[in-house]
Amino acid sequence: MIFFVGITAWTQGEHRRRLELWSTLTETGTAEGLAPSTIRDMRLYAGQAGIFFDGEGSWNTGGPGRVALTLKLTDKTYADNATDDQLDYHYPSTERHPSFDRNEIASVKRAQGLGLPLFITSPNRLQKSRTDVRLGYVDAYRDDEAMFFVTFVESILPLATPDELPATDDDAALFGGLPEQTLRLVQQRTQQRRFKTDVLRRYGEKCALCDITTPRLIQGAHLIPKSIGGADDALNGLPLCLNHHTAFDAFLLRIAPDGSSITYAPGVSKSLLQVTHDDLTHLPAKPSSKALSRFYRTDAAKAAFATWA
């Protein structure tokens, strides 16, 4: 067993170890459809808990305590919401002694504070007996919602500089979020996910223009684009499926600022775009009429709508 002296040195060693694990997992080009024996032999996961920390590899002399290595998705115990880019992972709430759940939650927060990636396992879609493995970083968590917010990545990010890592286990920075350098690398995706979450909370998990209700197929669409100063505020958004998000951005349709009607560009129709609503009155809340009005005053919108006449 390798022992690292001090949290900084331990974190550097653990980061290298996880790099090596991921390299081994993907040496055939993908980490999908792995046999259970592969997961066990690499000590990526063992036991029944949803959160796994390796007692031999990530909890030893010089380390900060238990540091999560793997999150297990089963789609049975909790309604964890995983998309191609993000994962909302519930805190464990089991019938075991409360200390077990608390320790597992703390281990994930430690991984976040140290800027270490997590392996996320889930059943393979075609062969349930086999396992898919992905990489992710906990970019935020909310104790009041008992939820970790994870951003998936394709490869392990560079480790933060030593001065950004906590010096001791009591260091408040250990539980204060990702190190700044790591945070910058995932921040853009994080903002997109949080905006989508807020939009779905305000308007419901359904496309505002059709009947698609699958969350992973719905996007948070900005009314005033971020490129011209649009805010990541649910009032400046609508839940739209990819097709209708594209149609809105391409000025193929126009939603009245008060949401009372939807009109279409020449040669485009409600049926052609497969829109199933005539207005936004069915939504539980309204978007900002000022946001839509401002969007329609932009040069791009005025130029597009001028061709409608």
Side-chain angles (χ1 to χ4, degrees):
M1 182 183 297
I2 299 175
F3 295 96
F4 303 103
V5 180
I7 288 181
T8 298
W10 180 91
T11 304
Q12 292 169 338
E14 181 64 10
H15 183 263
R16 288 194 298 270
R17 189 177 79 90
R18 298 188 186 204
L19 272 171
E20 292 169 359
L21 285 171
W22 184 244
S23 178
T24 300
L25 281 169
T26 57
E27 61 185 0
T28 60
T30 181
E32 297 180 354
L34 302 176
S37 58
T38 300
I39 304 297
R40 289 194 302 270
D41 292 346
M42 295 181 67
R43 292 200 58 79
L44 280 179
Y45 185 80
Q48 301 297 319
I51 297 172
F52 175 69
F53 41 82
D54 183 357
E56 295 183 6
S58 61
W59 182 26
N60 51 44
T61 301
R66 297 177 174 93
V67 180
L69 178 68
T70 303
L71 303 181
K72 181 180 181 180
L73 290 178
T74 64
D75 297 327
K76 294 180 180 179
T77 307
Y78 308 107
D80 296 315
N81 180 23
T83 69
D84 289 339
D85 298 317
Q86 296 102 18
L87 165 67
D88 297 344
Y89 192 85
H90 287 76
Y91 288 9
S93 179
T94 67
E95 296 179 354
R96 302 172 298 174
H97 189 279
S99 63
F100 284 89
D101 291 341
R102 288 198 301 267
N103 287 337
E104 289 176 6
I105 293 167
S107 75
V108 177
K109 292 180 179 180
R110 286 192 181 97
Q112 181 201 37
L114 295 169
L116 291 172
L118 295 172
F119 298 95
I120 295 93
T121 67
S122 60
N124 182 268
R125 294 179 182 178
L126 299 179
Q127 296 177 284
K128 296 299 183 181
S129 63
R130 289 182 170 265
T131 301
D132 294 343
V133 182
R134 300 185 67 182
L135 279 174
Y137 285 84
V138 176
D139 51 78
Y141 61 84
R142 293 181 180 175
D143 288 332
D144 58 336
E145 296 184 23
M147 189 83 72
F148 290 111
F149 300 104
V150 179
T151 296
F152 289 121
V153 294
E154 297 299 322
S155 59
I156 293 180
L157 304 175
L159 187 64
T161 57
D163 62 325
E164 290 184 310
L165 295 175
T168 69
D169 192 26
D170 293 328
D171 191 333
L174 187 62
F175 302 100
L178 281 170
E180 183 178 351
Q181 177 177 311
T182 310
L183 179 61
R184 286 197 299 268
L185 297 174
V186 299
Q187 198 167 42
Q188 183 175 4
R189 287 189 175 184
T190 301
Q191 291 172 340
Q192 292 171 346
R193 182 190 49 71
R194 288 177 180 169
F195 175 66
K196 174 183 173 179
T197 298
D198 290 342
V199 166
L200 295 187
R201 282 188 185 136
R202 178 174 175 81
Y203 304 105
E205 296 184 349
K206 179 180 179 181
C207 176
L209 300 183
C210 71
D211 297 323
I212 289 179
T213 58
T214 304
R216 67 184 303 171
L217 298 180
I218 299 173
Q219 301 176 340
H222 288 83
L223 302 180
I224 302 174
K226 285 184 65 66
S227 60
I228 58 172
D232 286 324
D233 187 301
L235 283 168
N236 184 44
L238 276 176
L240 297 175
C241 66
L242 175 60
N243 286 341
H244 292 134
H245 191 174
T246 302
F248 178 79
D249 288 347
F251 304 106
L252 297 181
L253 57 84
R254 174 173 176 153
I255 302 170
D258 63 359
S260 62
S261 64
I262 301 171
T263 52
Y264 301 90
V268 179
S269 65
K270 176 182 176 182
S271 59
L272 181 65
L273 293 182
Q274 298 183 337
V275 174
T276 58
H277 298 283
D278 295 319
D279 50 46
L280 300 184
T281 58
H282 62 285
L283 295 177
K286 291 183 179 180
S288 169
S289 60
K290 292 182 179 179
L292 278 167
S293 295
R294 180 185 167 190
F295 174 55
Y296 294 147
R297 291 197 300 270
T298 63
D299 291 341
K302 288 190 289 186
F305 294 137
T307 66
W308 287 28

